[in-house]
Amino acid sequence: MQSWQKLCTKRKNAHKEICLKASRSIWFQTVTNQGKVQFMIYSEAVNADKFIEFLKQLIKSSTRKIYLIPYNLKVHHSKVAKEWVERNKDKIALFFLPS
């Protein structure tokens, strides 16, 4: 069972519509060290442009540099994303864990 399915099972009535949408969606999400959650939901395939759009939203909502640990999805390692992060290295840094 997927983690979102467990959440939907526990909260059947209150969040049914959200859970149904989440089951067919892709999420980018972050949690800060202060517990602030930010996310974007996509109903179509994720690509580097959507990942960059999410990174832009993170930067826009922060007054300090962002240190992000993404998992190893291909779009996170794409040439376009790496170039964008390099151009914005004063605002964001990505750190990948070994897979």
Side-chain angles (χ1 to χ4, degrees), residues 43-91:
S43 58
E44 63 275 347
V46 175
N47 59 29
D49 292 332
K50 290 185 176 92
F51 179 54
I52 292 169
E53 179 184 354
F54 179 67
L55 297 179
K56 287 178 182 178
Q57 289 298 318
L58 291 178
I59 289 172
K60 189 177 184 180
S61 66
S62 179
T63 57
R64 297 166 46 179
K65 186 171 181 173
I66 295 169
Y67 297 91
L68 185 65
I69 304 169
Y71 58 95
N72 288 308
L73 188 65
K74 282 185 180 182
V75 298
H76 298 159
H77 293 282
S78 70
K79 183 178 179 181
V80 175
K82 286 179 181 179
E83 289 172 352
W84 186 89
V85 170
E86 180 62 29
R87 286 192 307 273
N88 292 278
K89 64 183 174 187
D90 59 321
K91 300 173 190 157

Side-chain angles (χ1 to χ4, degrees), residues 10 13-15 29-31 39 45 48-49 54 85-87 92 96:
K10 290 178 185 174
N13 299 328
H15 300 288
Q29 55 194 345
T30 61
V31 179
F39 62 92
D49 292 332
F54 179 67
V85 170
E86 180 62 29
R87 286 192 307 273
I92 192 165
F96 294 96

